[in-house]
Amino acid sequence: MISDLSIRTEFPREIREIENVWIPMPDGTKLASRIWLPVDADIDPVPAILEYLPYRKRDGTVERDHLTHPYFAGFGYAGVRVDMRGTGDSEGICLGEYLLQEQEDCLSVIEWLSDQPWCSGKVGMIGISWGGFNGLQLAARQPKALSAVISLCSTDDRYADDIHFMGGAMLTEKMAWAATAFSIVHTPPDPKIVGERWREMWLSRLENNGLWLIDWVKHQYRDNFYTHGSICEKYSDIEVPTYLVGGWADGYTNAILRMLENLSCPRKGLIGPWGHKYPHFAVPGPRIGFLQECLRWWDQHLKGIDTGIMDEPQLRAWIQHSVPPSTFYETRPGHWTCVSDWKENPKKIKSLFAVGHSLKKCSSGSFVVSTPETAGHTAGNWCGYSVVEDGTGDQGKESDMVFFDTKPLKEDLEMLGFPVLTTNVECNVEQANLIAVLSDVDQQGRATRISYGVLNLTHRDGHQKPRRVPNSPINIQIKLNACGQRITKGHRLRLALSNAYWPIVWPSRERASLRLRNTRIDLPIWQGSPVSDTFQKPEGAKPLEREILDKGSYMRSRSIDLITGNEEISIYSNQGREKHLHTGIETHSISHESFRIHPDDPNTASGTAHWKKHYKRGEWVADLECFILVKAKDSSWEIDASIKAKDGAGFSFKKNWNESIKRNLV
């Protein structure tokens, strides 16, 4: 994580840390915060940089917190890490993601920070994923003190571009992330912070925080459940300067280009090769001096110092070069390019048509797509963290999909933006999915995925009111994920089509056969020149001192039952056991996900997610075990879940859920 990170130990201002500060909410609930700030901030106040999360400041995000927030403090800011209500060491209960209560609490936190004697009155928000989401959501609420935002790996659209759905098809990530969140929000607070009431607080969470997956599955199309917290509903609500950051290996990159196009506030975008991590320690590299980049942003907008950052191009993006397929890359070769204004930048499109098994400049025919339900087994994870082998495998092994290739390219081909597939579809069932995958195929026939897109055909006219697929042909369009890619001369571009993409999306209710006509892929051609790397080398503050007790392991496997024909993809992650020396906490987490299906029967699809978490310090021990099972039946989603908890002094807790939810054209 920090092998090539330059560790800074000397700063312009001396730093002090406050291990825990209670921030009062209007209803009397107190949120736990950890604060780093200059020692002289009381006489020379500084802006506050807030990161507001449910991920346990005491041990969950502590590694990156140590690298980041003291760094900001050393340059004249207060780095503030707050546990959300009902999580970490904070009081109360947490009933879901991005709820109104979460926003209201954060408004109170921002007001409290701005009123502190060590604060200049200005607050910035930074966060990745959940923290990136709520940074945008709070900006849309327009609290007076919030003056700038840096949002990483986040989204403007909670329905169409989050863990829930892709093109109206339900992602298996909905189950996987539900299990992860399930395991996080039911963990106990630290007795060193909350005292003897820790078990009482833990029991309240276990009894009340609930299984969020049930609500998520009940809402199967775009309704108020998802429009709440989706800033795309009214982009103009965000007025403060907003910096949008992500990576091509991440699951949330599309939103950066959409927000650059639709926001009207001062804004910038940065897209590197990275997975779901901060760019000063992200993989694949190259990593950048992201904290220095943040300081330029904060200095400009929180201190009124002209750093020149707003005079630079609006978007900087890493154009990835051709590489052989791999589930893990330490670095991705490529080059930086710049776009002065993404919305106004002229877009050049190159159109290719699927004919026979070729991609050609003109003409088009018809063909049938009716793939086994196991198509997609090389797809990797929907959202890549890239620190383990969770990436996309060789797409040349997806023999079940229907391939269309160009001839070997006579010159390099560069793309930046969204490829778009347009076709006419005739379908034999009332609900089906269509998946399009673009790959770079080298001379050895190895295929590296560039982009992909999904459409549930019942959502062809939008996500608010899905409609059954008629017996007659329909025209549809699929916007594939954004990409920044150079395909090397001599390589081929491949379009692969299927009606399944397992285990990325849940299958349709029935086996589908699709006849496609006039199928065209529009490529976003990029003609910009490479630019020199203007980023500084990655830096961080002194890392967390820890003792590694078990390095852990990661395994991903695919197996086929030769009697039944059922296939299983299994993902096992032992995240290791370690002891944090500053708190003495010992932590250990293990997760295991499994996805099963028969290639000829979509109603055999099932997924399980199992988490075990362990906390220990001296005689204090807390163990948590969470389990979720989802089955995709013809007319329903069947959900079973359980939670078990115990401590080292005889306390134990068990709870089960069993739910059947009607499928609504998903």
Side-chain angles (χ1 to χ4, degrees), residues 239-252:
E239 298 178 352
V240 297
T242 302
Y243 202 160
L244 307 161
V245 182
W248 297 124
D250 182 53
Y252 291 100

Side-chain angles (χ1 to χ4, degrees), residues 305-581:
I305 301 170
D306 187 0
T307 64
I309 196 167
M310 299 310 294
D311 300 325
E312 297 168 0
Q314 185 187 76
L315 171 66
R316 282 175 291 181
W318 184 254
I319 302 296
Q320 300 185 135
H321 294 179
S322 293
V323 290
S326 176
T327 56
F328 175 82
Y329 298 98
E330 183 65 41
T331 61
R332 283 296 301 263
H335 66 267
W336 289 105
T337 194
C338 292
V339 184
S340 58
D341 187 316
W342 177 252
K343 182 177 182 178
E344 301 300 327
N345 187 69
K347 308 294 193 296
K348 181 179 179 181
I349 302 299
K350 180 176 183 177
S351 298
L352 297 172
F353 296 84
V355 184
H357 286 285
S358 300
L359 281 180
K360 298 182 177 181
K361 292 183 179 179
C362 59
S363 184
S364 184
S366 72
F367 52 87
V368 173
V369 175
S370 184
T371 58
E373 303 298 338
T374 49
H377 64 269
T378 65
N381 283 6
W382 170 79
C383 181
Y385 285 79
S386 301
V387 294
V388 292
E389 295 83 356
D390 63 1
T392 307
D394 185 354
Q395 299 299 283
K397 296 180 179 179
E398 289 284 0
S399 57
D400 293 333
M401 302 182 82
V402 183
F403 289 172
F404 304 89
D405 288 4
T406 64
K407 292 181 178 180
L409 300 177
K410 295 181 179 180
E411 59 184 15
D412 291 348
L413 174 69
E414 284 193 14
M415 293 184 285
L416 179 61
F418 297 95
V420 177
L421 180 87
T422 303
T423 190
N424 178 273
V425 181
E426 189 174 356
C427 182
N428 68 328
V429 294
E430 66 177 20
Q431 185 271 316
N433 300 324
L434 178 62
I435 293 88
V437 179
L438 275 183
S439 297
D440 175 354
V441 185
D442 66 16
Q443 290 89 339
Q444 287 76 45
R446 299 171 298 185
T448 303
R449 194 180 72 189
I450 298 168
S451 178
Y452 73 103
V454 178
L455 179 65
N456 174 352
L457 298 182
T458 67
H459 287 237
R460 61 195 178 275
D461 298 321
H463 302 306
Q464 287 85 359
K465 295 180 179 180
R467 295 189 297 133
R468 288 173 171 79
V469 181
N471 294 327
S472 56
I474 54 173
N475 294 319
I476 61 102
Q477 188 177 86
I478 302 177
K479 179 181 280 191
L480 280 65
N481 287 335
C483 62
Q485 182 71 39
R486 172 191 286 177
I487 303 175
T488 302
K489 174 184 176 181
H491 287 203
R492 290 171 288 142
L493 178 68
R494 171 173 294 166
L495 171 66
L497 299 172
S498 69
N499 48 269
Y501 208 48
W502 181 258
I504 295 292
V505 298
W506 290 94
S508 55
R509 294 172 53 182
E510 302 175 82
R511 283 297 307 272
S513 180
L514 311 177
R515 177 167 289 280
L516 274 60
R517 299 178 177 87
N518 303 320
T519 303
R520 184 183 81 240
I521 185 75
D522 294 331
L523 307 175
I525 301 302
W526 176 245
Q527 297 176 308
S529 301
V531 297
S532 58
D533 181 0
T534 59
F535 296 106
Q536 299 181 54
K537 299 298 181 183
E539 287 187 350
K542 185 179 178 181
L544 172 72
E545 293 184 0
R546 56 184 180 152
E547 179 183 356
I548 304 298
L549 305 173
D550 175 11
K551 289 184 178 180
S553 60
Y554 180 85
M555 291 181 287
R556 188 183 187 101
S557 62
R558 180 188 183 212
S559 61
I560 301 174
D561 187 321
L562 297 179
I563 297 175
T564 65
N566 292 324
E567 298 193 12
E568 178 179 2
I569 290 178
S570 178
I571 306 165
Y572 174 84
S573 179
N574 179 346
Q575 299 180 14
R577 190 162 58 96
E578 62 185 40
K579 183 177 182 179
H580 302 161
L581 300 185

Side-chain angles (χ1 to χ4, degrees), residues 1-31:
M1 176 177 174
I2 59 172
S3 58
D4 61 352
L5 197 69
S6 177
I7 304 303
R8 180 185 278 270
T9 57
E10 295 185 4
F11 296 93
R13 296 179 72 167
E14 187 180 352
I15 305 163
R16 69 183 177 100
E17 176 193 339
I18 309 174
E19 175 65 26
N20 191 74
V21 176
W22 294 108
I23 301 178
M25 297 295 101
D27 66 354
T29 302
K30 292 179 291 185
L31 305 189

Side-chain angles (χ1 to χ4, degrees), residues 86-106:
T87 70
D89 296 321
S90 289
E91 298 175 348
I93 57 175
C94 183
L95 299 178
E97 293 181 312
Y98 318 120
L99 303 182
L100 181 61
Q101 181 69 66
E102 175 184 332
Q103 295 181 14
E104 294 293 327
D105 284 350
C106 196

